[in-house]
Amino acid sequence: MGLIAIITSMNAIEKTKDNKLIAVILPFTSAFKGIADEQKEAIDLAMLDFTDYSVIYKDSKSDAAGAVTAFNELLAMDKPPFAVISCASWVATALHPLAAEADIFHIVIASADFKRPVPKHTIRFTIDASQEEKQLSNYLNKFKRIAIYNMDNSYGNGWKKTIENNFKDRIVEVIAYDPKNKDFTNDLKILKDADPDALVLLSAGNGALIAKQARQLGITAQFVGTRPIERPELLVESEYTNGLVFTYPTYNEHHPMIALFTKNYGNAPTIFGVEAYDSITSLITATKASNLSAEALFDWYSGTTYTGALGEIHFDNIGDAHYPYMYKEIYKGKFITAPFQYEMLLNDAKLVIVKAFNQLENNDMQLEESLSDSDFYGKIISRKVTNFPIEMWIMKQDGTIIYDDNRSEIGLNIFTDEIYAAYHSLLEVARKMSSTNNGKGEYTFLDIKMKKNVTKKIIWTSINLNGNEFRLALTHLKDL
Ligand code: COI
């Protein structure tokens, strides 16, 4: 062996990974500083419980090149970290092959636009934009003239393409902006001239400024946004941002992390902090249950359900997380769960059921069987309501359940089956449903897994098929 080969192999030996060190690459010096700071605060909070691990933070600056430099600095360390957590779609895509090559386990957060060429290596906590978009389009569907104003990066441009594909004939103007800008008026004048009835803002921290300048210019279009738009700045400018509707993950607002974060930092976390917190706590849990190779850590996540501040997160075999999204809204200066969504989803589901049955020639028997059939639900109803934090069921007026998201209840009768007997508020609502063709109420019953009692809100409507009347019900947890 020559001298150079010996030195190289000694370096390789020295560069074993530090199995207590986790690297976190965040966009500290960029237009997304507020997001990076929040993610760091959440990770610091989580690390209070894990004193035997340490975190090294690196600045990705504003683009993929900055992230690659930061990653190479980590690799050059004597003992590089065993895992890296990174933020932003453009960073995820750039670092994924590098981390895979160096066999450093990779978790990506705040990365809705991301493809992985290397399997079994990277876990993603963010729901893909293509999933979120299905939910957003339910709402966007009611607009005829849609304009898009998007950050000029892979997140904004990826999303823009998806919306353009889905609403080809309704797009009246599309402009990309540099997220470092502070004055958007020239672009907004062009957007105003296009006379949109909805303006989609694919924005993060500067969404507030854009909304303010847009309203000051006289743009009256409905503002519509996506996950990254929920930033504290929006509430400071609520005079201009009230009414903004956006898609947003559900998470467990009662998780101790939320109160602790609020106490320590003076404001509640957004999804960026919540995601960052779960990424590091789950990673440390994973290290305790498996060895530290990228493959073993990936296998720990893949196909499992982890319960964290995001609620129940299911990881598929590719390594993508899944959890529900819903519509939020700014109302009187506060972020709230948009109340319109339940009625909207119920009516959407009703319309698709009626349409599907008008295309079939069914006798009464087939009608009930079809309604009870779970692909029917898959093909017809779920396209409209998938991934919202709701449940649906269909009841005959005599109390027979002919469809329920919890399949084990199909065929039972609310008025006669024993499992319902102790739930008086449910029986009362069901009696009202039997005699009234639409309404709302509240009851206590088991959750979808039939494990614990929960209080649900319900709205129902009627579907008349071949002269048979059915009640279609939508429920959601009371405190959502
Ligand atoms: C994303 O890429 O999905 C993000 O949320 C990035 C964020 C820094 C705006």
Side-chain angles (χ1 to χ4, degrees):
M1 195 187 279
L3 189 60
I4 295 185
I6 292 170
I7 293 171
T8 314
S9 97
M10 278 170 66
N11 280 348
I13 291 165
E14 261 179 12
K15 284 202 175 181
T16 46
K17 284 177 223 146
D18 182 343
N19 62 14
K20 293 289 178 209
L21 183 66
I22 300 165
V24 180
I25 303 181
L26 303 176
F28 291 109
T29 10
S30 76
F32 307 106
K33 177 180 166 34
I35 289 173
D37 288 346
E38 180 185 332
Q39 289 167 323
K40 179 176 183 301
E41 285 172 346
I43 289 175
D44 287 346
L45 198 66
M47 292 311 291
L48 297 176
D49 290 336
F50 302 111
T51 45
D52 49 340
Y53 287 78
S54 49
V55 169
I56 176 169
Y57 289 100
K58 285 277 180 187
D59 185 0
S60 58
K61 309 210 168 111
S62 56
D63 53 16
V68 171
T69 304
F71 184 75
N72 285 335
E73 285 168 14
L74 292 169
L75 278 192
M77 290 168 67
D78 278 348
K79 277 179 172 279
F82 72 91
V84 59
I85 298 175
S86 72
C87 158
S89 302
W90 50 95
V91 172
T93 303
L95 293 192
H96 162 74
L98 305 182
E101 200 188 333
D103 202 29
I104 292 181
F105 182 57
H106 189 196
I107 292 186
V108 303
I109 55 176
S111 300
D113 183 85
F114 169 57
K115 305 267 174 312
R116 347 162 142 61
V118 188
K120 287 178 85 62
H121 198 278
T122 304
I123 289 290
R124 169 164 61 161
F125 272 73
T126 321
I127 304 290
D128 196 82
S130 59
Q131 170 65 50
E132 185 181 349
E133 198 277 338
K134 285 192 197 112
Q135 298 188 255
L136 186 78
S137 64
N138 272 9
Y139 177 71
L140 270 185
N141 238 331
K142 68 179 190 166
F143 298 97
K144 300 278 173 289
R145 300 177 59 80
I146 300 170
I148 304 174
Y149 196 36
N150 68 280
M151 327 185 226
D152 192 1
N153 51 34
S154 64
Y155 176 86
N157 292 321
W159 252 99
K160 173 201 77 174
K161 256 190 238 143
T162 316
I163 300 176
E164 275 180 328
N165 282 343
N166 280 349
F167 290 97
K168 282 186 191 73
D169 311 336
R170 306 195 205 173
I171 305 291
V172 292
E173 189 59 81
V174 179
I175 302 180
Y177 67 85
D178 180 341
K180 289 192 293 296
N181 282 355
K182 292 276 172 266
D183 182 354
F184 303 94
T185 45
N186 286 341
D187 290 346
L188 290 169
K189 279 179 190 155
I190 300 171
L191 290 164
K192 184 180 178 201
D193 287 346
D195 191 25
D197 56 0
L199 175 57
V200 183
L201 299 175
L202 299 169
S203 309
N206 41 22
L209 205 55
I210 294 171
K212 178 176 179 177
Q213 292 172 12
R215 289 286 185 249
Q216 285 175 336
L217 279 175
I219 293 181
T220 55
Q222 169 68 47
F223 291 144
V224 181
T226 53
R227 168 188 51 86
I229 206 163
E230 187 182 299
R231 303 298 307 144
E233 295 90 326
L234 285 175
L235 301 188
V236 179
E237 299 294 356
S238 63
E239 179 187 346
Y240 306 99
T241 59
N242 272 329
L244 165 76
V245 169
F246 57 103
T247 35
Y248 204 69
T250 60
Y251 60 91
N252 179 4
E253 292 186 14
H254 304 294
H255 191 282
M257 176 267 175
I258 310 295
L260 199 61
F261 186 102
T262 311
K263 183 167 162 253
N264 280 21
Y265 303 118
N267 52 282
T270 69
I271 201 64
F272 289 105
V274 174
E275 214 189 356
Y277 181 90
D278 277 0
S279 68
I280 198 131
T281 46
S282 63
L283 174 60
I284 292 176
T285 310
T287 61
K288 298 195 167 164
S290 72
N291 71 54
L292 295 187
S293 71
E295 195 176 342
L297 290 171
F298 181 92
D299 285 346
W300 183 86
Y301 282 94
S302 136
T304 56
T305 299
Y306 175 80
T307 304
L310 280 165
E312 280 194 355
I313 315 166
H314 179 71
F315 290 94
D316 64 21
N317 294 336
I318 298 167
D320 272 348
H322 296 272
Y323 42 85
Y325 265 51
M326 61 176 163
Y327 298 117
K328 285 183 81 173
E329 183 178 339
I330 302 183
Y331 179 72
K332 294 191 177 167
K334 288 210 166 77
F335 295 119
I336 62 162
T337 300
F340 69 81
Q341 61 199 305
Y342 303 117
E343 200 96 18
M344 184 185 115
L345 294 172
L346 182 70
N347 285 328
D348 282 353
K350 173 176 170 165
L351 288 178
V352 288
I353 292 171
V354 171
K355 190 167 165 206
F357 275 92
N358 284 342
Q359 287 163 358
L360 294 176
E361 278 181 30
N362 277 296
N363 64 33
D364 293 349
M365 207 39 223
Q366 283 168 330
L367 187 75
E368 281 183 33
E369 276 171 11
S370 303
L371 279 174
S372 308
D373 179 48
S374 50
D375 286 346
F376 178 78
Y377 185 81
K379 282 197 199 120
I380 307 296
I381 309 180
S382 73
R383 266 189 291 141
K384 285 285 169 196
V385 302
T386 295
N387 218 35
F388 284 92
I390 59 160
E391 289 175 44
M392 299 202 77
W393 44 283
I394 301 175
M395 184 188 98
K396 282 172 45 170
Q397 279 169 285
D398 69 1
T400 311
I401 297 173
I402 56 167
Y403 174 76
D404 196 301
D405 280 348
N406 177 1
R407 310 287 193 267
S408 69
E409 288 181 76
I410 295 176
L412 303 186
N413 186 299
I414 296 191
F415 299 126
T416 57
D417 258 280
E418 250 181 49
I419 68 157
Y420 302 109
Y423 294 97
H424 301 291
S425 54
L426 171 61
L427 290 171
E428 197 180 311
V429 164
R431 274 194 290 271
K432 208 163 145 198
M433 284 172 73
S434 228
S435 59
T436 331
N437 53 21
N438 60 65
K440 60 182 174 186
E442 187 178 307
Y443 65 89
T444 298
F445 186 58
L446 295 164
D447 66 0
I448 180 99
K449 292 185 181 159
M450 305 293 260
K451 274 198 177 147
K452 60 174 194 302
N453 287 342
V454 286
T455 302
K456 308 183 190 193
K457 289 201 162 193
I458 179 168
I459 50 173
W460 72 88
T461 185
S462 292
I463 315 182
N464 202 308
L465 300 169
N466 290 357
N468 299 285
E469 191 133 314
F470 301 95
R471 306 292 188 232
L472 174 68
L474 179 150
T475 68
H476 61 92
L477 291 180
K478 188 182 176 189
D479 64 354
L480 254 191

